[in-house]
């Protein structure tokens, strides 16, 4: 999924050997988190369970290098600690988790993604799967979610240059931290022929063309 989307969604399907269909979803308090420069490198995030059953959740942290570019790289990292890393959430309940930035950002902004995935406990961890009527089965669809995390550089610079061309406007991020262009309208110089724009997130050193 592109980084232009601020969240992750995926489904895990389990065959449980009982007699109905069930689904549940993980929902996050927010899908964007910031570690400001000079601030305490700790933040909390609440994870919600919308299902009628207990959710067993596993988390993972990835660091994103060259975000939004063709050479973007996403790799596991230990630069952010999630505590607890694995946990359970009761039906229709919530759980607060703590995120700790272990390695402050340097001259450029650090970009990370935290993901929370529902996992099915089975015989491998000593918990038996539920049993139902003979010959019947259940498909269980569990949906996970994730959030982007930004670690602000030591000396943040929010700078943008704008150039108007005949058929487009070019925005260049000349700073060292990302910025967002919000929803709005693009018009000709005479303010006629306007159309809606969806906005975009522009990372340090990147360019966005609005046509």
């Amino acid at each position: 999924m592109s980084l232009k989307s601020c969240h992750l969604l995926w489904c895990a399907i389990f065959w449980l050997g009982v007699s109905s269909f069930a689904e549940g979803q993980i929902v996050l308090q927010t899908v964007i988190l910031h570690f400001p420069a000079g601030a305490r490198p700790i933040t909390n995030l609440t994870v919600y369970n919308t299902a009628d059953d207990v959710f067993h959740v596993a988390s993972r942290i990835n660091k994103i290098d060259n975000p939004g570019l063709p050479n973007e790289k996403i790799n596991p990292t230990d630069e952010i600690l999630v505590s607890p890393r694995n946990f359970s959430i009761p039906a229709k309940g919530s759980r607060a988790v703590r995120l700790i930035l272990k390695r402050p950002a340097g001259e450029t902004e650090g970009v990370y993604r935290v993901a929370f995935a529902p996992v099915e406990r089975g015989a491998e961890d000593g918990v038996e799967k539920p049993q139902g009527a003979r010959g019947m089965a259940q498909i269980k669809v569990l949906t996970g979610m994730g959030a982007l995390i930004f670690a602000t550089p030591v000396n943040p610079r929010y700078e943008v240059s704008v150039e108007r061309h005949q058929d487009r406007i070019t925005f260049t991020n000349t700073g060292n931290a990302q910025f967002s262009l919000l929803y709005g309208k693009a018009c000709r110089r005479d303010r006629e022929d306007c159309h809606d724009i969806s906005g975009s997130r522009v990372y340090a050193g990147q360019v966005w063309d609005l046509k």
Side-chain angles (χ1 to χ4, degrees), residues 101-191:
L101 181 65
K102 297 167 59 180
R103 184 177 179 181
E107 292 301 317
T108 58
E109 185 175 54
V111 182
Y112 305 85
R113 178 182 290 150
V114 58
F116 297 93
V119 293
E120 183 67 15
R121 282 194 172 181
E124 68 277 2
D125 59 8
V127 180
E128 294 185 1
K129 297 182 180 181
Q131 300 295 319
R134 182 177 301 175
M136 304 300 289
Q138 178 193 49
I139 292 179
K140 190 172 186 179
V141 180
L142 306 178
T143 305
M145 194 172 184
L148 288 177
I149 303 174
F150 299 103
T152 306
V154 177
N155 298 303
R157 301 191 319 276
Y158 298 97
E159 301 171 355
V160 57
S161 67
V162 181
E163 297 181 5
R164 178 181 284 273
H165 307 279
Q166 184 175 359
D167 62 342
R168 70 185 189 281
I169 300 175
T170 299
F171 298 87
T172 303
N173 186 341
T174 57
N176 61 358
Q178 58 83 29
F179 66 82
S180 295
L181 296 171
L182 303 179
Y183 302 96
K185 291 183 178 294
C187 307
R188 298 186 317 192
R189 290 181 185 272
D190 56 9
R191 297 188 181 181

Side-chain angles (χ1 to χ4, degrees), residues 89-102:
I89 310 177
K92 304 296 183 182
S94 63
R95 176 67 185 261
V97 298
R98 175 158 291 186
L99 293 94
I100 303 171
L101 181 65
K102 297 167 59 180

